[in-house]
Amino acid sequence: MTGKQNASRQKPVLPILAVLCFVCLAGMCAALFYTAAPAAQSEFVSPSFDASAVSGTPDVPDGLGWQELDAQVFRVSVCGAVVLEGNRADVWLTNPESNTVWLKLRIMDENGTVLGETGLIRPGEYVQAVTFDTVPASGATISMKVMAYEPETYHSAGAVTLNTTIQSGG
């Protein structure tokens, strides 16, 4: 082939590549323009205080595994044995007076579904029991997540999760 014939064969390639590039660019712009805006983040709703909170330190019955845990930023006492009586279990969630945070307890199943929770408790208060919205079977694995909030601002002050199983009461 001569150089002239070779050049004439390459000429249609450049316009085709230019059109193809333009179509791709137009497609990307259209995709950016027509994609839905991300869903607005739901507004934080501050948890309410637990109406059943009692001031002081509880007298917890033996055998429930009640102990104080040091989460470094805060301390909390709670029962490791969760014994169901109907749709309630005594957890004896206690926020020691030495804390500077508000605490709440959320109980979840293995899939992270909330089964029950307390409201907030102030330092020097405790909540004896949590009511379950969904009652798990005896032996079911649960997570007890204690969440700490800075007073007034409700900013997170950390959380600690305890894994245990449900026991049925006698």
Side-chain angles (χ1 to χ4, degrees), residues 30-169:
L32 287 172
F33 183 74
Y34 288 109
T35 54
Q41 189 174 10
S42 61
E43 192 170 320
F44 174 75
V45 177
S46 57
S48 58
F49 285 91
D50 200 301
S52 67
V54 177
S55 292
T57 303
D59 184 19
V60 181
D62 291 334
L64 294 178
W66 186 74
Q67 60 184 331
E68 184 174 86
L69 306 169
D70 184 355
Q72 296 187 349
V73 175
F74 62 91
R75 292 179 179 274
V76 61
S77 295
V78 67
C79 293
V82 180
V83 182
L84 270 176
E85 296 284 344
N87 68 337
R88 290 175 42 102
D90 286 349
V91 292
W92 298 97
L93 175 68
T94 306
N95 189 352
E97 200 167 318
S98 60
N99 276 347
T100 59
V101 297
W102 296 335
L103 299 179
K104 79 174 280 167
L105 174 69
R106 179 174 288 160
I107 299 178
M108 299 169 289
D109 67 12
E110 290 177 302
N111 300 318
T113 303
V114 177
L115 303 173
E117 61 188 337
T118 68
L120 289 173
I121 59 172
R122 295 172 183 88
E125 293 181 340
Y126 68 91
V127 171
Q128 178 178 340
V130 64
T131 301
F132 286 75
D133 299 321
T134 303
V135 179
S138 181
T141 300
I142 59 167
S143 295
M144 300 171 61
K145 184 175 184 180
V146 178
M147 297 169 285
Y149 295 91
E150 293 178 3
E152 309 304 328
T153 65
Y154 294 93
H155 289 145
S156 174
V160 63
T161 301
L162 310 165
N163 296 315
T164 189
T165 56
I166 289 290
Q167 300 174 27
S168 291

